[in-house]
Amino acid sequence: MPGSEQESAPSGIDTTKPSVARVYDYMLGGKDNYEVDRHVAQAALRIAPDAPEAAQANREFLRRTVRYLAAEAGIRQFLDVGSGLPTQGNVHEVAQDVTPGAHVVYVDHDPIVLAHGRALLAVDETTAIIDADLREPEKILDDPRTRALIDFGEPVGLLLFAILHHLKDEEDPAGLAARLLRPLPTGSHVVISHFHNPMQAHPEVSQQAFTAEKLFNEHLGTGRWRTHEEILAFFNGLELLEPGLVPLPEWRPETGDHQAAPGITYHTFVGGVARKP
């Protein structure tokens, strides 16, 4: 967009091309976005005016699931792949509120995420952020900072919030997730949130999902609104916890949650938590 080049940005940040992380930041009411990101976000809002509700629901899902893993599942170390821009209630803040000293490794490859993450997420010896891509799981697992903070002899919380839907089917997202899980011991957990197309269960919502997918792939790279069965396959071989794979606000809601109303995006963003047996 013409005005976007005039906006100041950290060195190495391209403000002429939209970024998924920055569009998401805009939906959450953040300030780490540029005109080109707002243009794409506003196009998305014309399709789904309640898209910010979905973004908020994903943050609340993160807080509830991380709190559950730290408080009830005994998880003391987390690997957050595709961590996105820092915002209120980051993984280490939630986990360390329950378990002081919990270790968190954040993973992303967006330059602006890395720039802000190094300042706001890698705060002390319990946290780190590494530049890596989900498509290279072994690079993530073998990074010296991962090895320094994650003890692979103890259960790990693998967090895949809003990341698998950015992979094409031919990139084998289920296989990549399995490669991240493979070295993790029994008792480890995985949390997944993912764009969802409900198909015949909600025909109007399904049509909106197809339209959103088209917009996303034209402007932001890859975005796949997968079916319930396709997303459920990511949990194959694991023990899926109650209430299963559900719209994000329905995963063990708590008092004080935003409680998103069942609008057009309600059924297009789902999540679940599973334990490695």
Side-chain angles (χ1 to χ4, degrees):
M1 301 300 294
S4 63
E5 293 183 352
Q6 300 172 11
E7 296 182 275
S8 61
S11 176
I13 306 302
D14 185 353
T15 63
T16 68
K17 296 180 181 178
S19 154
V20 171
R22 299 193 313 248
V23 171
Y24 184 54
D25 174 74
Y26 176 83
M27 293 293 188
L28 284 170
K31 299 178 180 179
D32 295 315
N33 52 76
Y34 302 96
E35 183 179 344
V36 66
D37 308 303
R38 296 188 284 273
H39 177 73
V40 172
Q42 288 156 9
L45 288 169
R46 287 193 288 272
I47 299 169
D50 61 340
E53 299 269 347
Q56 179 66 32
N58 191 52
R59 293 305 301 182
E60 292 181 347
F61 178 68
L62 179 153
R63 289 193 284 270
R64 292 196 305 274
T65 54
V66 170
R67 192 181 304 119
Y68 166 80
L69 294 185
E72 300 186 45
I75 303 296
R76 301 290 180 267
Q77 46 188 0
F78 298 82
L79 187 58
D80 183 7
V81 182
S83 54
L85 281 161
T87 186
Q88 186 177 5
N90 297 297
V91 171
H92 72 277
E93 295 168 331
V94 178
Q96 292 177 2
D97 185 57
V98 176
T99 305
H103 288 187
V104 179
V105 174
Y106 295 99
V107 182
D108 213 297
H109 64 93
D110 186 305
I112 197 166
V113 172
L114 295 169
H116 286 275
R118 290 183 182 117
L120 300 174
L121 298 179
V123 293
D124 57 30
E125 69 279 358
T126 66
T127 63
I129 183 164
I130 65 174
D131 180 0
D133 193 307
L134 174 58
R135 298 171 185 85
E136 300 178 297
E138 287 73 28
K139 180 180 178 182
I140 295 171
L141 296 168
D142 294 338
D143 189 283
R145 287 158 295 183
T146 303
R147 292 287 169 175
L149 285 177
I150 303 295
D151 177 357
F152 288 90
E154 297 292 331
V156 177
L158 174 60
L159 310 177
L160 299 171
F161 294 107
I163 181 68
L164 293 172
H165 53 231
H166 295 310
L167 297 178
K168 300 175 183 177
D169 294 344
E170 54 266 32
E171 292 175 303
D172 188 20
L176 293 170
R179 283 160 62 186
L180 283 171
L181 271 167
R182 193 169 297 132
L184 307 187
T186 296
S188 294
H189 287 63
V190 61
V191 185
I192 295 172
S193 64
H194 197 293
F195 292 160
H196 173 239
N197 189 323
M199 304 302 282
Q200 292 88 353
H202 297 278
E204 181 184 355
V205 176
S206 177
Q207 185 56 52
Q208 182 269 346
F210 282 122
T211 303
E213 182 169 295
K214 183 175 184 293
L215 173 75
F216 200 103
N217 283 275
E218 287 175 351
H219 296 283
L220 280 171
T222 303
R224 282 282 286 110
W225 275 247
R226 293 188 167 95
T227 66
H228 188 271
E229 291 72 22
E230 288 173 322
I231 302 169
L232 203 59
F234 295 138
F235 296 102
N236 283 349
L238 305 173
E239 298 171 354
L240 187 62
L241 305 185
E242 292 295 335
L245 181 63
V246 294
L248 300 181
E250 295 181 17
W251 200 93
R252 307 189 185 189
E254 297 175 351
T255 302
D257 284 349
H258 185 64
Q259 297 295 328
I264 196 73
T265 66
Y266 188 88
H267 294 283
T268 61
F269 212 167
V270 299
V273 180
R275 179 184 182 275
K276 184 175 181 180

